[in-house]
Amino acid sequence: MKDSEPSGSAPFSAETYFATQPPPPSLDHDMATVRSFVRKQTERGMKVVLVTSGGTTVPLERNMVRFLDNFSAGTRGATSAEYFIKAGYSVIFMHRQFSLQPFSRHYSHSTNPFLDLLEIEHTNTNPSSPLTAVPNITVTPSKREDLLEVLAMYKKVHHDETMLTLNFATVNDYLWMLRAISHELSLLGRSVMYYLAAAVSDFFLPSQKMSEHKIQSGKGSLHIEMDQVPKILKSIVDEWSREGFIVSFKLETDPALLLPKCRQALERYGHQVVIGNDLHRRKFEVVFVSRNGPNVTEKASNTSNNNFGAGESHLSEYWLRLGTSDASASSLQHPREIEEDIVRELERRHQLWIDAAS
Amino acid sequence: MKDSEPSGSAPFSAETYFATQPPPPSLDHDMATVRSFVRKQTERGMKVVLVTSGGTTVPLERNMVRFLDNFSAGTRGATSAEYFIKAGYSVIFMHRQFSLQPFSRHYSHSTNPFLDLLEIEHTNTNPSSPLTAVPNITVTPSKREDLLEVLAMYKKVHHDETMLTLNFATVNDYLWMLRAISHELSLLGRSVMYYLAAAVSDFFLPSQKMSEHKIQSGKGSLHIEMDQVPKILKSIVDEWSREGFIVSFKLETDPALLLPKCRQALERYGHQVVIGNDLHRRKFEVVFVSRNGPNVTEKASNTSNNNFGAGESHLSEYWLRLGTSDASASSLQHPREIEEDIVRELERRHQLWIDAAS
């Protein structure tokens, strides 16, 4: 990596970040709900997964008009959360406000608007029973079965209280929330998994550098200079939630960079799995990068920053691909989703992790 | 305004922009649907309004991972489109993909998820009629009336084909589409209104300056330098759709700047109305800035770039506010929306505009 020119201020460490940037107003309230949720799951002996999903924003002004965003509809996170529920986990779904959520994801207003599923049934008006004059709303018969499946699962999750939903918008919200949630989840020891699928900003504008009001466009070209966001994954692994099973994601656009970046992240942070995906292939192909051998269920002792080349025997690469066999096996109505396979494989590895401690 | 330092390249004119930036792949297809829609409305003698809604993006990479966005849920546009339909207009709704749309806006998955409106009705299973064993899906009685109202209007619009929906994401999509649509709409002469509520980027990255792949965060701080987006409103007014009734919006965060910026825009572009709103007051207060006097139904002859001060008699300011009387008059179920008043006032002014030519 090339050395960068200093921007005029030292890079932010995690410690400096939290000492200088203000927490979101809703933090205490959110953490009270997390605390209560975690307590219930502990009483029930449930495994818990924190799923983060969607992109974080970097506002350019304090009265926000413009912001830098990371591209992420939230498909990976929202879809995976459903499969975690099916696998018996309780889920904390921490997502970008307005991004895809479990269950409602099947009915995006743009691609499958729910209003198209409904019909107005004009019942025969009976003068002696004025109440029957009110039209009834029914679900189109051909859509009923699929909707029933989604609705039944949605109702069950609400009834059983097996999912807690939180939202964030800015990278600042995200970092504060992740830090606080990690502290709460550390009570669960090895029974907690972190599924960090959110697309987190690498760069941000410290509030002290932010413009108060809307940047005026009369002033020629726009120059934005941003600082690097501190890598808090290290803090989660080393300090905040040492026993958790931690899975992070790497998204790359250049295929040549995918594996090197995954290995680099795993070596740098010392967590359990990096799931790598190429922007253009992510719906049907991912790679799990993790450590090999008998130590796979123990924390890495080596967290040095060496960049190991391909074929280093202490790292393994496990490719998941939706293949043609999947395509023919699935019905056209229910195409297979790679998240089903991702979650199954992680559930297996997490159980090994849990068992290794007992 | 301070002079800005040149960025090293001349500012883009509209002409240079379209000569150098590539059109979106879907442009021809979209315009074919617009052409067909416009023809139908002309046959029916319908007035047409183009409503633009939501924010435009500026991708930072050609394989887009990050982008600059303008804050806009699309509430103004989506809500206004419903009132234009009620007022008898046909609507072309050109919105940011995944932002709020008419009708479904009432059922945001975050704030009023439709799955919460539905119930599973377990009918008594009758062994001799196995079909009755399939559970029925019904709408919760307390939600039925409101949903019926929205659903009925939605169905009617689809049946009558009085709304065409198009979407954009990038500012490049937006500019190309607006230009092409203006050409199609010019056939309607004075019967077309432009309601330009979209939050359009003031700055962009020419494709020639864009990075091919995801900008890597290992390189210290991030520097972004952007060019100004050419002001194409002038082209619409002067060249592409000379007879249209054109309404643009101004959003400011500093109250002191609101009226001066509205007046400046009206003077600079020579269109009919600028609707100004303060970011924090926009749901209950807007101001219409327009030209005074007998010339109000004719195009401005003066489009010089003078910045007139307050109280200049040739400009008028018309304030719309949702007041306490509105609050008490409306039921809690149906709070009044300022868009109802905005659309009523514009309908009145547009009719004067149309009549002035006959």
Side-chain angles (χ1 to χ4, degrees), chain A residues 27-28 30-39 42 48 92 164 166 176-189 192 194 240-241:
Chain A
L27 190 68
D28 290 344
D30 283 348
M31 291 313 117
T33 64
V34 170
R35 205 165 296 137
S36 163
F37 183 83
V38 168
R39 195 181 316 126
T42 318
V48 175
I92 298 180
L164 174 67
L166 301 168
W176 276 98
M177 287 173 71
L178 185 55
R179 178 200 202 215
I181 288 178
S182 307
H183 289 135
E184 302 297 334
L185 293 176
S186 64
L187 293 175
L188 292 157
V192 66
Y194 289 75
W240 305 338
S241 197

Side-chain angles (χ1 to χ4, degrees), chain B residues 270-307:
Chain B
H271 57 304
Q272 284 61 55
V273 183
V274 177
I275 297 181
N277 42 193
D278 177 310
L279 178 68
H280 303 294
R281 300 174 65 82
R282 69 195 192 280
K283 307 247 180 198
F284 58 85
E285 186 180 82
V286 301
V287 59
F288 283 49
V289 176
S290 54
R291 267 173 291 281
N292 264 333
N295 290 336
V296 73
T297 54
E298 290 156 32
K299 281 173 62 65
S301 48
N302 173 15
T303 55
S304 67
N305 198 7
N306 289 330
N307 201 2

